[in-house]
Amino acid sequence: MTAVDLEFDQLNSTVDALRRSISNRLMYGVGKDAATARPQDWLNAAALAVRDRLVARWMKTTRHQYEQDVKRVYYLSMEFLIGRTFTNALLALGIYDQMKEALAGLGVDMEAAAELEPDAALGNGGLGRLAACFLDSMATLAIPGFGYGIRYEYGMFRQKIIAGEQVETPDYWLRAGNPWEFPRPEVQYMVHFGGRTIERDGHVQWIETEHVNAMAYDTVIPGFATSATNTLRLWSARATEELDLSAFNQGDYRRAVEAKETSENVSRLLYPDDSTPAGRELRLRQEYFFVSATMQDLIRRYQRTHSTFGRFAEKVAIHLNDTHPVFAIPELMRLLVDIHHVPWDRAWKLVQQVFSYTNHTLMPEALETWDVEMLARLLPRHLEIIFDINAEFLKDASAHFGHDVDVIRRISLVDEYGQRRVRMAHLAIVASQKVNGVSKLHSQLMAREFFKDFAHMFPARFTNVTNGITPRRWLAQASPPLSALIDQHIGTHWRRDLFELSKLRALKSDAAFSSEFRAAKRRNKIRLAHRLMHDTGIMVHPDALFDLQVKRIHEYKRQLLNVLHVIVRYNRIRAEPERDWVPRVVIFAGKAASAYKMAKTVIKLINDVGEKVNNDPLIGDQLKVVFVPNYGVSVAELVIPAADLSEQISMAGTEASGTGNMKLALNGALTVGTMDGANIEICDAVGRDHIFIFGHTAEQVDDLRATGYRPRQIYEENAELRLALDQIRTGYFSPDDPRRFSDIFHTLVDWGDHYMVLADFAAFAEAQDAVDARFREPRQWTESAIENVAGMGQFSSDRTIAEYAHDIWHVKPVDVS
Ligand SMILES: *Cc1c(COP(=O)(O)O)cnc(C)c1O
């Protein structure tokens, strides 16, 4: 087929050209004229004008990839926490100022319009945000990469705080349309569930299944300051039968659409409640749905240029972001063996060459397993394949370990204790050529403790790739004042090479630079103070120390440790109100999983403490406690640049890496943190003098547990801590319901304090005193803040992706020139 030479308008990006484009897009794309256009219409028109400018690059990159027959990376993730796209795309294209002027010429305030864009919140927290940073870096480095996931109609719930409690409302992010995506109704794959298997002509067939179609939606991912772009392909469920016409004609309208509704539920919602069997089954369906479509899609793409599977492993790398996409392994086996008739052994070799897996958590309760019975019902062929893989694996393991029954039981892909379950992490490890943790400590714990038997069998398979964040979003976009200041002094290239920031070290004692640095921070604090006033009615003073703990609410992250310290501080100030305290604004934000009762109680406690503290006339501006609702990417972009202090206080050994810690340090916040996850590497990078490290190390946590941890003893011996805990227990902060927080008290004092909050309390309070002392010395504080920014080079996700590309995926950048 010869392609026709298309004639289309080459779009340049002068202010005039942009203004014409926006007008055209408003008229012909949105279907409005200037007289009736609402701000949302202007935003959509402007977004389409930007998208038009990305498309040419996209086509070009795709063509180059195809012509150079490049190896492609397929990054599979159940979550992509992208946030907004408009400003990000303008900065990537280098047309921010031009667009702002073009819109101003049309009477539109760009920054106000940009606030109308909903966040694409197709993720929950760090894991989904990591995937989004990776897309940005892959495109910027011109690595041919595809993100694959699910186009949830409803993203992460929207959090409202009503009377201090979390209230969840659905996040229908597509309400106003999504100008960034291209529906691809021609790209659809059938995904099967249920049924049974039979053998025919020497091949297994999976028959009598129900099915749903997966339809592709593509989003362009622009690289920064390069014409390289990538694609995020998200699957949406489409019923294979639209309407039961006979039911409809008989007037049974509900039944007529019922089957369609049910099958399309697969892509309805991120995180169906998994406390019920129906919720768990839906989650399983989601996991299989998106990997089945993805495996079919990548095989089809490979086969467009190859007639055998001989070069498959040279052209394909498949990365599993945690275990949620692990059904890709048996699905690829099924497609190769049952559909394409590749012999089992050869197929297994291919699988072991193309897959790699990132582990994100070692907490036993978070390691995913699936009930064998449910799998037998929903994915009978995949269960057979998993059993076959397991049988071979256990043979190898017996050869390796000798007949050590305990080891074999520990490492089997099937947990045989009680109800049989498939261990997804084990399947991922056995099938992958590389397995990585996300910080040095986490990778060590993984190979030495949690998966030590596997590491013994496959020592070369285990590796570390420390997480990173994209400096484009987390500094250039989130903090215009600090970015502009850095640009003035060291140029603009840090956006693509974050190690450039080390040049700031030379300026750390420069009085003029320091004062401009403080001024930039202050502007961000004022911006936040205005928003807090508007959204919560709480007035905060920008000269106070802004202390942030923003992340999902979870016991292991220990928001409780922070709250206890707030209470102790409150009591101290009340005891001596006239003393010269360092004024603080303690800011919390984060969502609690909807079924996680303790986390929700913690949110209520924070708000009840805030209510008391903020309204106490004795306290005034010395202490404020604010809970910012609906934490997500856009809230993070608002609050992080305003932080003086970053709370990274998880119990050592529990936070795999953390990325919030990196974003905050990059924005000049000093960290108070435990020796956990990437905090350890941040400490090395910024220097021990510029970070406040406290508390038990992972090793000390183990020792303490082994020798018998007695939290009640700590409670009894520390008077300040005891008072705070008693206040919680007796309703000092909840006079309307004095017993509201008694479970929090008992969890900490009587029920074992699993995350060792009390064990670290005294050290934490001491570290906070050191924070205050440093903050009293603005010169010193600013020097430390600059050291933090300057040390962040290695935490760019560009470095992370370069390591994945070189060490794990073995892919090279595509030449787009
Ligand atoms: C970075 C980020 C996270 C991860 O934060 P941690 O402190 O590493 O847990 C979670 N949610 C959002 C919206 C983020 O931007």
Side-chain angles (χ1 to χ4, degrees), residues 81 125-126 129 474 550-551 557 631-633 636 648 658-660 663:
L81 190 49
R129 183 54 231 176
W474 295 112
V550 295
K551 49 184 73 241
K557 292 177 181 281
Y631 190 56
V633 174
Q648 308 299 335
T659 48
K663 298 168 198 166

Side-chain angles (χ1 to χ4, degrees), residues 4-8:
V4 189
D5 274 333
L6 291 182
E7 281 180 45
F8 50 84

Side-chain angles (χ1 to χ4, degrees), residues 393-394 401 404-417 423 426 449-454 456:
F393 166 63
L394 293 182
F401 291 107
D404 184 336
V405 190
D406 286 339
V407 181
I408 299 300
R409 249 194 228 143
R410 271 205 310 266
I411 62 177
S412 173
L413 306 191
V414 182
D415 182 348
E416 307 275 355
Y417 302 89
R423 297 160 162 157
H426 293 200
E449 292 179 26
F450 288 80
F451 299 133
K452 65 171 188 287
D453 304 315
F454 290 101
H456 195 270

Side-chain angles (χ1 to χ4, degrees), residues 81 124-127 129-130 469 474 550-552 556-557 631-634 636-637 640 647-648 655 657-664:
L81 190 49
N124 171 34
L127 174 145
R129 183 54 231 176
L130 185 77
I469 55 168
W474 295 112
V550 295
K551 49 184 73 241
R552 284 175 304 127
Y556 88 81
K557 292 177 181 281
Y631 190 56
V633 174
S634 290
E637 287 173 43
I640 287 173
E647 303 268 356
Q648 308 299 335
E655 187 74 88
S657 161
T659 48
N661 46 5
M662 302 169 188
K663 298 168 198 166
L664 280 149

Side-chain angles (χ1 to χ4, degrees), residues 4 15 138 227 294 336 447 633 656 663 724 734 740 788:
V4 189
V15 174
M138 279 194 265
S227 51
T294 304
L336 290 173
V633 174
K663 298 168 198 166
S734 55
R740 178 177 294 142
N788 271 265

Side-chain angles (χ1 to χ4, degrees), residues 495-510:
R495 289 170 181 73
R496 291 191 53 110
D497 176 8
L498 201 61
F499 286 103
E500 288 276 306
L501 292 180
S502 66
K503 291 179 180 165
L504 295 174
R505 231 170 245 135
L507 296 162
K508 71 173 179 181
S509 316
D510 179 318

